[in-house]
């Protein structure tokens, strides 16, 4: 028994060591890539359901690895949160996204102006000077604060602390809008939305993808939308893939949607073709 016990410890040890080594490798690689400008943003269109009008884009980061090619954020965001690299990485994303949207607003002057949505990790919100940094980036790039939406996952706000609410309040005082991302997955009570300084929620893809399949998910989506509207909060549906889902969301008076049904995330050139194709520039 003793021996097998020792054996188990060895296995445990090795897998932990492997995990640590992998994490350090990714971190070193990623840190270098950030310095060498190997990160790029793709942008996924968001449209208004009622009119079909394009209202803006969500910025999504990709890593162009020198050997492995394009790497999706699901492979490196979590690690960079653990190592803290998400802080400089997140600031790079924010600056790049604001700068790019400012250029697009000049080139494609529609009313209301196109907006940009950026994902913010909880680790970034813990930085005492985060809202100062956001303010600085807005000033540097010249993007109007009202054109910026920051997406914070429901999981983040569920672990609410006084400090978090303060951070959210000071961001909102800058004039930027706050969105709750992946809504419905964080098990917050719905009534609790009332106490958060929030402009919109994004209904998680898992609910949207069941629309038209399971009757129960229609009820859930309908309840979420109704509650949000009672609280004067707008709703964005994410992961819309089919005409049926789109039709159902429109019927339920969801304001905005995003998903492969409209377009997958696009690189800068494809975005420009997309805007030109839809808005007649
Ligand atoms: P998210 O914020 O929920 O972003 C939506 C994800 O769903 C994106 O994956 C997008 O490509 C994908 N998607 C969009 N429409 C559809 C659809 O119709 N069907 C399906 N199956 N998928 C769709 P992506 O780009 O791989 O990003 C994954 C996650 O990584 C994001 O989830 C977000 O949590 C995180 N992420 C991405 N960029 C950043 C960033 O700059 N900073 C931080 N902190 N997180 C980021
Ligand atoms: Ca998001
Ligand atoms: Ca989401
Ligand atoms: Ca998600």
């Amino acid at each position: 028994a003793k021996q097998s016990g020792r054996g188990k410890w060895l296995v445990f040890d090795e897998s932990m060591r492997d995990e640590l080594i992998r994490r350090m490798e990714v971190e070193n690689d990623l840190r270098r890539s950030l310095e060498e400008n190997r990160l790029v943003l793709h942008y996924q269109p968001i449209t208004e359901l009622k009119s079909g009008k394009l209202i803006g884009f969500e910025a999504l980061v990709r890593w162009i690895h020198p050997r492995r090619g394009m790497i999706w954020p699901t492979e490196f965001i979590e690690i960079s949160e653990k190592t803290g690299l998400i802080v400089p990485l997140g600031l790079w994303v924010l600056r790049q996204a604001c700068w790019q949207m400012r250029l697009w607003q000049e080139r494609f002057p529609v009313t209301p102006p196109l907006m940009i949505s950026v994902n913010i990790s909880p680790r970034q919100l813990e930085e005492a000077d985060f809202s100062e940094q956001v303010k600085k980036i807005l000033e540097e790039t010249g993007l109007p604060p009202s054109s910026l939406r920051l997406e914070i996952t429901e999981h983040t706000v569920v672990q609410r602390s006084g400090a978090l609410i303060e951070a959210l309040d000071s961001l909102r005082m800058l004039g930027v809008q706050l969105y709750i991302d992946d809504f419905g997955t964080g098990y917050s009570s719905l009534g609790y939305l009332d106490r958060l300084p929030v402009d919109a929620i994004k209904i998680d893809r898992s609910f949207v993808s069941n629309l038209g399949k399971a009757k129960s998910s229609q009820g859930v989506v309908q309840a979420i939308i109704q509650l949000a509207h009672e609280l004067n909060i707008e709703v964005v549906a994410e992961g819309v893939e089919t005409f049926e889902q789109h039709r159902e969301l429109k019927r339920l008076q969801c304001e905005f949607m995003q998903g492969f049904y409209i377009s997958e995330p696009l690189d800068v050139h494809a975005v420009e073709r997309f805007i030109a194709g839809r808005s007649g520039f």
Side-chain angles (χ1 to χ4, degrees):
K2 248 186 186 167
Q3 243 187 353
S4 85
R6 240 167 67 197
K8 271 184 199 148
W9 270 109
L10 273 176
V11 171
F12 182 57
D13 238 359
E14 268 169 27
S15 71
M16 266 185 51
R17 200 193 54 202
D18 289 351
E19 169 60 24
L20 260 172
I21 289 173
R22 195 182 71 92
R23 203 191 279 178
M24 277 167 59
E25 275 173 5
V26 172
E27 199 206 350
N28 284 336
D29 254 19
L30 189 55
R31 198 178 289 282
R32 190 163 332 113
S33 288
L34 187 58
E35 283 160 11
E36 292 173 352
N37 257 315
R38 292 185 186 279
L39 295 180
V40 296
L41 296 183
H42 283 189
Y43 300 88
Q44 188 175 36
I46 302 173
T47 61
E48 185 181 49
L49 273 150
K50 193 172 56 187
S51 63
K53 219 166 133 178
L54 173 71
I55 63 145
F57 296 87
E58 177 178 3
L60 295 158
V61 69
R62 274 95 183 85
W63 178 10
I64 312 298
H65 193 280
R67 291 183 313 278
R68 293 168 60 201
M70 186 153 98
I71 304 182
W72 259 256
T74 40
E75 276 195 52
F76 61 89
I77 290 293
E78 223 186 284
I79 289 183
S80 50
E81 274 168 359
K82 286 190 179 132
T83 60
L85 192 58
I86 192 71
V87 172
L89 191 158
L91 284 176
W92 179 86
V93 168
L94 193 62
R95 187 173 293 112
Q96 183 70 17
C98 290
W99 174 81
Q100 182 62 70
M101 184 43 77
R102 169 74 210 277
L103 286 186
W104 283 335
Q105 286 188 343
E106 260 168 38
R107 188 150 161 215
F108 308 107
V110 293
T111 326
L114 293 172
M115 63 82 188
I116 188 77
S117 218
V118 178
N119 294 287
I120 301 298
S121 101
R123 186 67 182 68
Q124 290 178 269
L125 288 171
E126 284 167 14
E127 295 289 295
D129 65 346
F130 183 65
S131 71
E132 270 305 306
Q133 299 279 3
V134 174
K135 185 166 178 238
K136 216 172 100 199
I137 287 174
L138 287 166
E139 284 166 2
E140 278 168 18
T141 59
L143 186 77
S146 58
S147 300
L148 177 63
R149 322 268 146 113
L150 301 179
E151 299 192 3
I152 296 144
T153 66
E154 192 192 10
H155 294 273
T156 307
V157 296
V158 163
Q159 308 147 13
R160 91 195 105 123
S161 61
L164 176 74
I165 303 282
E166 250 174 58
L168 297 181
D169 278 334
S170 57
L171 285 168
R172 236 173 159 217
M173 273 187 311
L174 298 178
V176 308
Q177 293 201 18
L178 300 182
Y179 281 31
I180 303 287
D181 204 355
D182 301 346
F183 190 82
T185 61
Y187 305 103
S188 61
S189 76
L190 288 175
Y192 153 76
L193 258 188
D194 197 18
R195 279 172 277 144
L196 287 173
V198 155
D199 301 282
I201 57 173
K202 297 185 83 168
I203 303 185
D204 191 67
R205 181 165 82 227
S206 54
F207 299 102
V208 174
S209 67
N210 278 323
L211 269 186
K213 285 189 222 149
K215 255 239 125 48
S216 60
S217 71
Q218 189 199 309
V220 173
V221 171
Q222 182 165 12
I224 292 175
I225 294 173
Q226 275 175 3
L227 174 93
H229 287 171
E230 269 164 39
L231 299 172
N232 256 319
I233 291 172
E234 294 188 311
V235 184
V236 186
E238 60 177 28
V240 181
E241 294 181 349
T242 67
F243 170 75
E244 285 72 26
Q245 290 163 0
H246 147 268
R247 187 186 52 197
E248 207 39 33
L249 289 160
K250 194 168 171 179
R251 193 180 68 78
L252 296 173
Q253 293 179 355
C254 177
E255 278 89 2
F256 307 106
M257 73 168 162
Q258 183 181 348
F260 297 165
Y261 177 65
I262 303 295
S263 165
E264 53 180 11
L266 304 168
D267 68 25
V268 169
H269 299 291
V271 166
E272 291 171 359
R273 285 194 298 271
F274 184 92
I275 303 177
R278 284 183 75 106
S279 311
F281 283 95

